[in-house]
Amino acid sequence: MITVENITKSYFGSKKALDNVSVKIENGGITGLLGPNGAGKSTLMKILCGYLLPDKGKASVCGFDIAAQPIKVRENIGYLPEHNPLYLDLYVREYLSFAAGIYLPKHEVKTAVENVLEMVNFAGEAKKKAGALSKGYRQRLGLAAALVHNPKVLILDEPASGLDPNQLEEIRSLLRELGKQKTILLSTHIMQEVEVLCDRIIILNEGVIAADKYTDELDEKLEIIFHSLTK
Ligand code: ADP
C-alpha cells in the first residue's frame, strides 16, 4: 500500500510543485496519475521513490516511511524514471545484472536477470546493446530493470510516451499482466492511456488533486475536468 499524507514540495522557493497532497493506494491493480505537464506527477513519484524529500508531510510504501526507512522503501519499489535513462553502451544482460546487483546478492543475479527477460518477453533482442534497441525494446529494458529485484510496487513515469501504436499495445498488455501481481502507479498526460489501462485515475493539476475515480465509475465529468485543464 502507498500512503501520502499532506505532502507539500517547492523547488528553491518557487511555486509549489505539490500542495498538501494526500492519497491512499491499496495493493494490486494499476493507478494512473494523470495531469498536464508541470502538474507535479514526477515530483510525487520522485518523493515516493526517495529521490526527493518533501518540505512537509509524510508518505509510506508497503508500510515503510520514505524518510525514516528509505532503503526498505527502495527494496519494495521498481522505478522507471521519465525518459528511461539507460546505459546505452551496455549489453542488455550487463545492464540488468548491474541493476540487479544493487539489490540482490551476487549468486542470485544471473537467475533474476534470466527470469525478468522472460517476464518482459525480450526474446532475441537480449543479445544487443541497449543503444541498438528500438524504442519499444528500450522501454521494455527500463521496465525489466525496474522489475529485476521483484519489487511489490512499480512506479512508472510516462512508461508509454513516444511509442508507436504497435509498441504501445505491447507495453500496455505487459503492464496489464504485471498489474495482476503488483501495485502499479503510472503517470501519463494522455486521458486515453488511463482509460484503457488503469483501475483508478487520479488527476493532478498545479500540485493538487483535481479528481480521483475508479474507472468502473468513470463519467463524462472526469473527461471534462481533464480537458479543461489541458486547454
Ligand atoms: P509533471 O511530472 O506533472 O510534468 P513535475 O513534477 O515535473 O510535473 O513539475 C511540477 C512543477 O515543478 C513544475 O512547475 C516544474 O517546472 C517544477 N519543477 C520540477 N522539477 C524541478 C526542478 N528540478 N527544479 C525546479 N523546478 C522544478
Side-chain angles (χ1 to χ4, degrees), residues 11-76:
Y11 293 95
F12 313 113
S14 59
K15 168 170 134 307
K16 288 173 185 164
L18 294 172
D19 189 0
N20 205 27
V21 169
S22 298
V23 69
K24 259 196 184 121
I25 297 170
E26 305 294 335
N27 287 339
I30 306 182
T31 300
L33 203 50
L34 178 69
N37 285 328
K41 305 181 295 294
S42 296
T43 303
L44 181 59
M45 290 182 150
K46 285 178 191 164
I47 287 174
L48 289 173
C49 296
Y51 286 88
L52 283 176
L53 279 176
D55 302 333
K56 282 192 207 141
K58 54 184 190 168
S60 68
V61 177
C62 300
F64 299 109
D65 184 90
I66 53 155
Q69 298 157 294
I71 305 281
K72 282 278 168 206
V73 169
R74 282 174 210 200
E75 282 170 5
N76 281 283

Side-chain angles (χ1 to χ4, degrees), residues 86-183:
L86 297 171
Y87 290 115
L88 298 180
D89 283 331
L90 292 187
Y91 286 95
V92 166
R93 283 191 171 80
E94 271 181 320
Y95 180 67
L96 290 175
S97 303
F98 164 72
I102 296 171
Y103 297 96
L104 302 175
K106 218 171 170 183
H107 67 275
E108 288 179 20
V109 166
K110 200 162 184 274
T111 313
V113 169
E114 294 312 315
N115 287 346
V116 84
L117 283 171
E118 205 179 309
M119 200 188 286
V120 302
N121 304 321
F122 227 86
E125 297 299 285
K127 292 206 161 39
K128 293 186 177 169
K129 280 188 176 181
L133 297 172
S134 67
K135 173 99 186 165
Y137 271 94
R138 283 188 194 195
Q139 215 55 4
R140 260 172 219 244
L141 180 56
L143 255 184
L147 275 168
V148 74
H149 60 296
N150 198 19
K152 294 193 180 83
V153 174
L154 279 179
I155 297 197
L156 312 174
D157 201 347
E158 307 242 0
S161 84
L163 299 181
D164 71 29
N166 283 338
Q167 295 166 338
L168 256 182
E169 199 33 58
E170 284 170 12
I171 284 286
R172 280 177 189 159
S173 63
L174 184 56
L175 293 177
R176 277 188 205 105
E177 276 310 303
L178 290 170
K180 292 178 189 161
Q181 312 146 35
K182 303 196 181 279
T183 305

